């Protein structure tokens, strides 16, 4: 995901970037995005220990421009009202598939979704699933047995 984020920010200049990290864990993807964009971070995770770790790491990295929501996926009253230009998620296949509808709903038209935590053998499964939600694969990176995939939400004609 970090390689994809670096490429994404080299190509795009988002003055109004609205970013969400779903299943943030330690916060690494949020913090990398902050360092690359200097924009506000929105992050979610269901786990209390992840929340503690996220706050600890934010403090260690002198990052204060963030909101953390302890919830499953995008199931938070604040997030339910928002659309994002960039969503990242490094979690396993089944939760990623369950979140497909929410990703579509909360991604702006033309927005980018970067996912990982997927084995190369699972790539076609997730691509087929997301294509049903108007999320089209635009790039993939394969490292050993893992892949990171970039999807774009296109407007429906």
């Amino acid at each position: 995901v970090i390689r994809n984020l670096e490429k994404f920010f080299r190509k795009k200049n988002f003055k109004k970037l609205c970013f969400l990290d779903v299943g943030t864990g330690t916060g690494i993807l949020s913090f990398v995005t902050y360092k690359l964009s200097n924009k506000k971070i929105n992050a979610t995770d269901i786990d209390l220990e992840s929340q503690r770790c996220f706050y600890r790491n934010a403090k260690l990295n002198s990052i204060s421009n963030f909101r953390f929501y302890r919830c499953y996926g995008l199931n938070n009253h604040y997030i339910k009202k928002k659309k994002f230009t960039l969503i990242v998620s490094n979690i396993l296949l089944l939760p990623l598939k369950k979140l497909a509808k929410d990703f579509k709903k909360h991604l702006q038209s033309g927005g980018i979704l970067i996912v990982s935590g997927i084995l190369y053998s699972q790539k076609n499964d997730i691509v087929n699933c997301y294509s049903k939600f108007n999320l089209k694969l635009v790039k993939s990176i394969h490292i050993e047995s893992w892949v990171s995939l970039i999807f774009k939400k296109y407007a429906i004609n």
Side-chain angles (χ1 to χ4, degrees):
V1 172
I2 293 172
R3 285 184 185 177
N4 281 332
L5 285 169
E6 289 171 335
K7 289 179 184 181
F8 175 79
F9 282 107
R10 265 188 253 130
K11 291 180 180 180
K12 308 265 184 195
N13 181 12
F14 283 102
K15 292 179 182 172
K16 294 189 179 192
L17 176 71
C18 190
F19 167 76
L20 177 65
D21 180 1
V22 177
T24 192
T26 63
I28 184 70
L29 298 178
S30 290
F31 304 141
V32 167
T33 299
Y34 178 79
K35 296 291 184 181
L36 292 170
S37 69
N38 202 30
K39 301 290 183 187
K40 183 178 182 175
I41 297 166
N42 294 285
T44 72
D45 204 296
I46 196 168
D47 184 62
L48 181 58
E49 185 53 37
S50 290
Q51 182 179 8
R52 289 181 186 130
C53 187
F54 182 94
Y55 279 94
R56 194 169 42 247
N57 288 335
K59 186 176 181 179
L60 287 170
N61 288 282
S62 302
I63 296 172
S64 59
N65 194 11
F66 67 85
R67 284 194 175 168
F68 182 96
Y69 307 94
R70 193 157 61 89
C71 61
Y72 175 78
L74 294 92
N75 190 19
N76 173 278
H77 70 279
Y78 175 79
I79 293 173
K80 286 184 177 184
K81 302 173 193 173
K82 299 220 27 132
K83 295 257 185 187
F84 299 91
T85 51
L86 174 62
I87 299 174
V88 299
S89 190
N90 181 28
I91 57 178
L92 299 175
L93 176 69
L94 291 180
L96 283 172
K97 288 174 70 173
K98 289 179 183 176
L99 289 167
K101 184 177 181 180
D102 285 339
F103 288 151
K104 176 191 177 193
K105 179 180 175 185
H106 294 284
L107 197 60
Q108 294 177 357
S109 183
I112 298 295
L113 170 66
I114 303 175
V115 297
S116 65
I118 306 153
L119 293 170
Y120 184 75
S121 61
Q122 299 170 327
K123 177 182 172 183
N124 289 339
D125 190 8
I126 197 84
V127 170
N128 290 335
C129 175
Y130 282 17
S131 69
K132 296 173 188 167
F133 294 94
N134 200 36
L135 299 168
K136 306 299 180 202
L137 180 68
V138 293
K139 183 163 181 65
S140 69
I141 292 181
H142 176 241
I143 300 173
E144 296 180 17
S145 58
W146 298 96
V147 292
S148 177
L149 307 172
I150 300 177
F151 293 89
K152 184 173 183 178
K153 180 180 176 184
Y154 289 97
I156 299 173
N157 295 331

